Amino acid sequence: MKRSLIFVFSTLIICLAAMTSQAQAQATRTWVSGTGDDVNPCSRTAPCKTFAGAISKTADCGEIDALDPAGYGTITITKGIKIDGGGGEAGQVASILAGPGVPGVSISNSSATCHFVVLRNLDINGIQTGSTGVNITSSSLAGNQVSLENVDIENFTNLCVDVEATGRQNLQVYNSNFESCGAGGIKSNTVATGGGVNRVTIGKSTIMKNGGPGIWASANSDVTAWNTMIVGNGNGGGLADAVTAKLFLDQCSITNNQSAGVHSTNSAITSVTQSTIAYNNGFGFLADAGGQILTGNNNYLNSNASGDGVRTGLLTTQ
């Protein structure tokens, strides 16, 4: 009997020690460096080498910081996390290089605690073979939030940013660049069965030279862009193409796109205020198949190849 009690007590001690060790392995803040190693604990003095290596040692709601502007590999994110490639120094930006058919960042945050993912000060490059820059897929939680701040995404065969969710997602984009992605710049679409709507806000950014639309609002999506350049995209500047899609463009420069500057179709609603729509290789405004384009009587349209087009309604100014 005594030996049995000793055995049980010893087992409990071992289990508690293992649990303590596991908890300690999940740090709230970790670091990566080009000279690091993923066998390290990802501490400031013993950093990891890749984002993928660091995230496994970072707790939900935690943060990964880059110490120098190296390449840190692609990453899949399933928890609340902030990744900062700036290292705290101005002008320092870490890189993610995606190989053939691989997305740069995949996000499917199922954390019940932290609903946020922040990507800051990153250069995400598909080198003309990677699939999607940032792929935000299905989530079990409605209302998850992804923020892209000072992020460059370029040279992917599909989209620079693709929001394809089964639960409502919030995406905030600020001071970022999306360039040379085959299927388009930023697309939002959701097949949410519970009535969820994606809400996307894009500010002070550049979306240019993509093969598809610059900004693409599709099913169950409310997309707003302000003070943003949408230039030289192959399938137009802004596209809203579903009855449950809303696109709002304010103080934007929508120029030199290879199709319509702004296209609203399939009963989508697009609103445009204080924007320049010029030199597009199609109509400036194109509304068809029940699509609406509403304006505030304060846009500048000029020299669009197929004509400037017309709005379908007037926004109320208050």
Side-chain angles (χ1 to χ4, degrees):
M1 180 68 178
K2 190 174 181 179
R3 289 183 178 178
S4 297
L5 288 173
I6 291 172
F7 175 77
V8 171
F9 185 69
S10 300
T11 303
L12 286 171
I13 290 175
I14 292 171
C15 290
L16 286 171
M19 291 173 64
T20 301
S21 176
Q22 185 177 9
Q24 288 176 342
Q26 294 283 306
T28 55
R29 189 178 187 188
T30 58
W31 283 264
V32 292
S33 170
T35 58
D37 193 318
D38 283 348
V39 302
N40 289 339
C42 303
S43 64
R44 183 74 167 76
T45 55
C48 285
K49 189 174 182 62
T50 67
F51 287 137
I55 198 169
S56 64
K57 299 173 184 178
T58 309
D60 188 25
C61 310
E63 177 175 343
I64 302 172
D65 291 318
L67 293 171
D68 48 67
Y72 293 105
T74 61
I75 185 171
T76 297
I77 298 172
T78 59
K79 66 177 76 171
I81 200 81
K82 180 169 80 172
I83 299 177
D84 192 333
E89 298 181 18
Q92 180 174 307
V93 177
S95 297
I96 292 175
L97 303 181
V102 176
V105 180
S106 298
I107 300 173
S108 183
N109 180 13
S110 58
S111 167
T113 302
C114 284
H115 295 237
F116 69 83
V117 172
V118 178
L119 304 180
R120 181 178 295 158
N121 300 321
L122 293 172
D123 183 3
I124 305 172
N125 195 330
I127 323 174
Q128 299 181 341
T129 60
S131 60
T132 301
V134 174
N135 196 27
I136 305 169
T137 57
S138 60
S139 171
S140 60
L141 297 173
N144 278 354
Q145 177 171 304
V146 176
S147 294
L148 308 179
E149 304 167 13
N150 192 29
V151 172
D152 284 352
I153 301 177
E154 57 192 351
N155 299 322
F156 284 88
T157 59
N158 193 10
L159 291 149
C160 290
V161 179
D162 189 9
V163 184
E164 296 280 348
T166 57
R168 180 169 66 86
Q169 298 287 306
N170 295 319
L171 171 64
Q172 283 80 43
V173 177
Y174 183 76
N175 194 35
S176 294
N177 179 67
F178 308 91
E179 183 174 350
S180 300
C181 294
I186 299 174
K187 180 182 180 182
S188 173
N189 178 68
T190 177
V191 292
T193 57
V197 175
N198 291 339
R199 301 192 186 279
V200 177
T201 303
I202 304 160
K204 291 189 175 181
S205 295
T206 302
I207 305 170
M208 63 186 296
K209 296 190 295 185
N210 298 290
I215 298 175
W216 188 351
S218 199
N220 299 307
S221 297
D222 292 352
V223 180
T224 298
W226 61 278
N227 199 9
T228 289
M229 291 179 58
I230 310 168
V231 180
N233 298 287
N235 195 22
L239 171 65
D241 69 351
V243 66
T244 52
K246 295 180 181 178
L247 175 61
F248 179 39
L249 304 170
D250 181 46
Q251 302 178 60
C252 292
S253 178
I254 306 165
T255 61
N256 293 299
N257 296 287
Q258 296 307 306
S259 186
V262 179
H263 186 188
S264 189
T265 187
N266 296 329
S267 300
I269 299 174
T270 300
S271 303
V272 189
T273 60
Q274 304 181 87
S275 295
T276 297
I277 303 96
Y279 307 109
N280 296 289
N281 193 26
F283 287 100
F285 287 156
L286 174 60
D288 57 17
Q292 299 182 54
I293 294 180
L294 311 177
T295 78
N297 232 2
N298 52 6
N299 298 297
Y300 175 78
L301 285 88
N302 185 56
S303 300
N304 294 288
S306 299
D308 293 338
V310 295
R311 68 187 179 206
T312 62
L314 184 64
L315 291 171
T316 301
T317 302
Q318 294 181 334

